Amino acid sequence: MKVTKFLDHTDTVRIGRVESDEIIPLQTTNEFRTLADLLAAEDPIAAVESLNHDSPVPITDQICWLAPIDQQEVWAAGVTYKRSQTARMEESEAAASCYDRVYQADRPEIFFKATPNRVRGHHEALRIRKDAKWNVPEPEVTLVLSPALKIVGLTVGNDMSSRDIEGENPLYLPQAKCYNQCAGLGPVIQLYRELPAVEEIGIDLKIEREGQIVFDQQTSASQMARSFEDLVQWLGRDNDFPNGAFLMTGTGIVPSNDFTLSPSDVVHISISGVGTLSNHIVQG
Ligand code: DO4
Ligand code: MG
């Protein structure tokens, strides 16, 4: 079952259940006022099924999708794929050994990525920092976590990153990662009672420039050096999430070192079973 947030024809924020070609607007109740309330339910799929709904809205280009987030924090894991380890070691002479060690260590790299106001949804703009010269999108399977840190669903995540800032000094990582419009989530949350096997979770990144695809690569979550559950238990150590959380699980696709995003590029990230998140890029 897929759920999202969108603006209806009166510009009201609605929660919707997404079918192949329509969104079914759900009527909230005192128990389930927000999408986060549904995600926190014992059985989110049953909670969505329990709600009455309004007439379906056909999915057209006119739909105004919103990121499927309420008050949750967004966190991210890093260097969870060999490709990310190699790319980071190339970009940062000074910190190469840090990336090598964290790839092999028990404790993963986990960092704070974004507050909800810094997140954008499908078809909204993501941003390159004004002071950055080398930028990439990072296509990441993103775990949707309940307040009890149960993985209740998956969504598509884009962990926008400034490689020159991160590469200059690893202490600059928060600036390379967390700024206005630095994270994309959506277009939907795919709810699961049981997650698919990682071999079934394909990840695809396409970057479009002036109508041409200038970057096109695929990987699979099976290439991850860590399990989703392991990342979640590290995130939850001495850390409470009363509103639930999103956890980006790291990138397995990094364009070669001569590639940087440009303003007006359009980034398309697809995750099997979830959907495709598309965002145009702006700077300044
Ligand atoms: O260590 C820097 C960030 C790593 C990251 O974001 C990733 O591997 O996806
Ligand atoms: Mg990342």
Side-chain angles (χ1 to χ4, degrees):
M1 176 190 287
K2 292 180 163 66
V3 289
T4 194
K5 288 171 68 173
F6 70 105
L7 282 184
D8 72 8
H9 62 287
T10 64
D11 275 354
T12 305
V13 177
R14 299 293 303 263
I15 304 168
R17 177 175 169 171
V18 181
E19 301 289 337
S20 52
D21 55 1
E22 57 190 23
I23 304 184
I24 303 165
L26 301 174
Q27 294 175 8
T28 53
T29 60
N30 284 342
E31 188 180 6
F32 300 121
R33 288 177 191 279
T34 64
L35 182 52
D37 290 339
L38 290 163
L39 301 173
E42 183 63 31
D43 180 351
I45 294 179
V48 171
E49 280 168 344
S50 74
L51 296 180
N52 291 330
H53 60 82
D54 296 329
S55 304
V57 181
I59 297 181
T60 64
D61 291 348
Q62 306 310 312
I63 294 282
C64 186
W65 300 86
L66 299 174
I69 187 171
D70 292 313
Q71 295 305 313
Q72 298 96 322
E73 295 172 354
V74 182
W75 288 69
V79 199
T80 50
Y81 292 76
K82 189 77 189 159
R83 174 65 191 123
S84 180
Q85 180 218 26
T86 315
R88 256 85 206 185
M89 290 179 74
E90 284 168 8
E91 87 194 1
S92 174
E93 266 174 44
S97 74
C98 295
Y99 295 114
D100 195 23
R101 278 184 286 131
V102 83
Y103 183 70
Q104 321 220 22
D106 257 8
R107 184 189 289 270
E109 178 195 15
I110 295 186
F111 57 91
F112 184 78
K113 174 62 188 174
T115 46
N117 64 301
R118 296 187 169 87
V119 175
R120 290 296 180 273
H122 188 47
H123 288 161
E124 294 187 293
L126 291 179
R127 186 167 292 277
I128 299 174
R129 292 180 62 112
K130 277 197 206 92
D131 55 1
K133 295 190 175 57
W134 184 21
N135 299 278
V136 289
E138 294 189 356
E140 306 197 9
V141 177
T142 300
L143 310 179
V144 182
L145 302 173
S146 73
L149 293 190
K150 185 168 154 207
I151 306 173
V152 295
L154 300 180
T155 189
V156 182
N158 183 346
D159 170 23
M160 291 282 291
S161 301
S162 302
R163 293 190 70 186
D164 53 335
I165 295 176
E166 166 186 308
E168 187 177 336
N169 187 323
L171 299 181
Y172 294 156
L173 182 92
Q175 297 174 70
K177 294 288 193 177
C178 184
Y179 53 91
N180 295 335
Q181 294 164 257
C182 64
L185 290 178
V188 300
I189 292 173
Q190 171 74 49
L191 296 173
Y192 290 104
R193 288 200 174 104
E194 203 173 317
L195 287 183
V198 281
E199 291 74 18
E200 290 167 26
I201 307 178
I203 304 159
D204 180 301
L205 170 64
K206 291 187 181 25
I207 303 173
E208 191 184 325
R209 183 167 297 162
E210 294 167 4
Q212 306 287 323
I213 299 294
V214 293
F215 183 85
D216 187 357
Q217 233 173 65
Q218 294 72 39
T219 189
S220 154
S222 62
Q223 298 305 304
M224 256 180 84
R226 300 176 189 269
S227 70
F228 294 153
E229 292 74 17
D230 182 57
L231 293 176
V232 173
Q233 69 82 17
W234 280 101
L235 176 70
R237 289 192 184 197
D238 290 272
N239 225 352
D240 289 339
F241 297 89
N243 302 309
F246 288 83
L247 178 60
M248 296 181 168
T249 57
T251 187
I253 302 178
V254 183
S256 57
N257 293 350
D258 55 359
F259 182 91
T260 185
L261 274 179
S262 295
S264 303
D265 284 356
V266 186
V267 176
H268 307 278
I269 301 173
S270 305
I271 296 196
S272 335
V274 183
T276 301
L277 172 69
S278 300
N279 300 96
H280 56 283
I281 303 299
V282 295
Q283 184 173 27

